[in-house]
Amino acid sequence: QVQLVESGGGLVQPGGSLRLSCVMSRAILSVFNMYTMGWYRQAPGKQRELVATITSDRTTFYVDSVKGRFTISRDNSRKTVWLQMNTLKPEDTAVYYCNAKNDQNDYDNNWGQGTQVTVSS
């Protein structure tokens, strides 16, 4: 089973930017290419929701609330996915989770430990 290690969360003022990183460890390069990578978030008292995904060929999807502000990217050679978050709003405050879903096996779905993002003045 793969392991996902996230970093980059923190406290930022409204309008600011943060960049989240997620590295897939304990996996060889060809394994990383089998996964669609994504970012989800969970705010207090709310369900976890999808933020963005990126396939191995870099096809991206964004939820409407972050379109034009967030950018998901990946470097397959580094087994890393990023979420660049710009123009942050207080409603973006949440724990952000990295996700890796195997394109060939629906049961192979992996989560990182989560990283806190707080947008507040």
Side-chain angles (χ1 to χ4, degrees):
Q1 189 166 354
V2 302
Q3 184 178 24
L4 303 175
V5 181
E6 300 143 337
S7 61
L11 172 64
V12 63
Q13 292 186 343
S17 297
L18 280 176
R19 189 192 195 203
L20 306 183
S21 300
C22 173
V23 178
M24 179 181 286
S25 63
R26 298 194 302 191
I28 60 177
L29 181 58
S30 59
V31 170
F32 184 74
N33 292 340
M34 294 167 53
Y35 289 84
T36 290
M37 302 299 295
W39 289 94
Y40 289 69
R41 65 187 180 187
Q42 187 166 18
K46 295 187 177 181
Q47 289 189 328
R48 190 174 298 187
E49 64 171 359
L50 172 66
V51 176
T53 61
I54 184 167
T55 64
S56 58
D57 64 357
R58 297 179 175 80
T59 300
T60 59
F61 169 83
Y62 298 93
V63 66
D64 286 346
S65 60
V66 307
K67 282 182 180 178
R69 300 189 298 123
F70 291 10
T71 302
I72 189 170
S73 60
R74 67 190 284 168
D75 184 334
N76 291 341
S77 66
R78 297 170 63 180
K79 297 181 290 181
T80 301
V81 61
W82 296 275
L83 185 68
Q84 177 67 43
M85 305 185 292
N86 298 327
T87 320
L88 282 160
K89 304 175 181 180
E91 51 263 43
D92 295 317
T93 296
V95 178
Y96 283 71
Y97 295 91
C98 180
N99 174 264
K101 187 174 296 183
N102 190 319
D103 294 335
Q104 301 173 15
N105 181 355
D106 290 341
Y107 295 99
D108 185 2
N109 192 30
N110 306 274
W111 296 94
Q113 80 283 1
T115 184
Q116 177 69 47
V117 172
T118 302
V119 185
S120 175
S121 54

